[in-house]
Amino acid sequence: MHFTSEQRLDDGVLEREFTLGEIPGTLWTPGSAPAPLVLMAHNNGLPKADPRLVARARYTAARGYAVATIDAAGCGDRPRSAADEQARADLRRAMQAGEPVDEIFESLIGPLVDNAVPEWRATLDALLELPGVRGPVGYSGGWTALGIRLAVAEPRIAAAGFFAGGYVPRAQREEARKITIPLLFLLQWDDAGNPRRRALDLFDAFGSEEKTLHANLGGHTGTPWFELEDGCRFLDRHLK
């Protein structure tokens, strides 16, 4: 892992950009150390520099966590395959025409998850070797499909917070039954792009004995700010 820049933010958090081979990432660490690690991913290929992700990461780091995000394969500014680009074009066309989009989502999101998970796991290996970064590890992010696969594949993840705001392929819906770690699941009740019944069915499928659903009125980007504070309290219970 090679750090390419660093800056101390007003809240005392240290923000560092890094590369791990071809993987670009950002690590935020608090003034106190060592700190438990939280992996934070945004939805289905959006960049690590997305303002909403950065705001959540800085807040969480200021609460005493090391927080990391990356642009995995096909995400952010990294090259995308011809198949991914075609799926995105097909998706835009189908949505504009009001046609069914589930199969197009399957062809887009499934490969993104498959390609992203090995890079996230390699990043986790490297991060836990750094001074000031320790386990247990949490996951927090809008990319629920990725989080499900990581929670199943990676025993070092001890708790996860998911946002029910993106398409979850059938494979991850089946994998959800294997998850047993504590979960916090956020749902925007009026999210036009995420059918409520599908989100509730996914919550029901999780195998965890401790799982909590927070539902709020509003659309996709209307998650109340207080949910970030509640999310940190959830992490406090399971990672500290």
Side-chain angles (χ1 to χ4, degrees):
M1 178 173 285
H2 175 64
F3 287 100
T4 58
S5 69
E6 69 174 56
Q7 61 172 328
R8 182 72 65 177
L9 305 175
D10 292 341
D11 51 13
V13 170
L14 180 64
E15 179 184 86
R16 288 178 285 176
E17 300 292 327
F18 66 83
T19 57
L20 181 66
E22 297 180 353
I23 308 168
T26 309
L27 174 65
W28 295 266
T29 49
S32 59
L37 176 63
V38 176
L39 305 178
M40 194 168 285
H42 209 5
N43 200 28
N44 302 343
L46 291 178
K48 64 183 179 63
D50 181 88
R52 288 181 295 161
L53 184 149
V54 171
R56 289 193 295 114
R58 289 184 56 175
Y59 181 93
T60 305
R63 287 282 298 258
Y65 292 94
V67 182
T69 189
I70 64 171
D71 280 341
C75 301
D77 294 328
R78 293 187 64 187
R80 297 173 177 178
S81 70
D84 286 348
E85 291 299 278
Q86 184 60 54
R88 285 184 168 89
D90 292 343
L91 179 62
R92 289 191 293 270
R93 178 195 56 76
M95 293 180 71
Q96 291 170 357
E99 298 173 356
V101 296
D102 278 11
E103 292 308 316
I104 301 174
F105 268 122
E106 286 283 336
S107 67
L108 174 62
I109 305 305
L112 276 178
V113 171
D114 291 341
N115 293 330
V117 165
E119 296 198 347
W120 274 97
R121 296 187 75 182
T123 303
L124 176 58
D125 290 340
L127 289 168
L128 289 177
E129 293 181 356
L130 296 174
V133 178
R134 65 170 177 84
V137 179
Y139 178 89
S140 174
W143 195 354
T144 299
L146 172 69
I148 291 171
R149 175 64 62 81
L150 280 174
V152 170
E154 185 48 71
R156 290 172 291 186
I157 294 179
F162 295 143
F163 291 73
Y167 183 82
V168 176
R170 287 185 289 269
Q172 277 71 65
R173 290 179 176 275
E174 287 301 315
E175 288 176 323
R177 305 180 190 281
K178 302 177 183 178
I179 292 179
T180 59
I181 60 174
L183 295 178
L184 176 62
F185 195 62
L186 302 185
L187 170 62
Q188 285 303 104
W189 203 244
D190 308 301
D191 187 346
N194 186 53
R196 187 185 306 163
R197 184 70 261 167
R198 179 178 290 171
L200 293 173
D201 287 345
L202 177 61
F203 177 76
D204 189 52
F206 289 122
S208 303
E209 292 186 1
E210 180 182 338
K211 55 182 180 180
T212 302
L213 172 67
H214 286 188
N216 291 283
L217 297 178
H220 182 69
T221 60
T223 303
W225 184 252
F226 63 73
E227 289 290 3
L228 183 53
E229 182 179 358
D230 287 349
C232 284
R233 285 199 292 266
F234 167 79
L235 294 173
D236 291 345
R237 290 197 299 273
H238 300 291
L239 302 186
K240 288 187 175 179

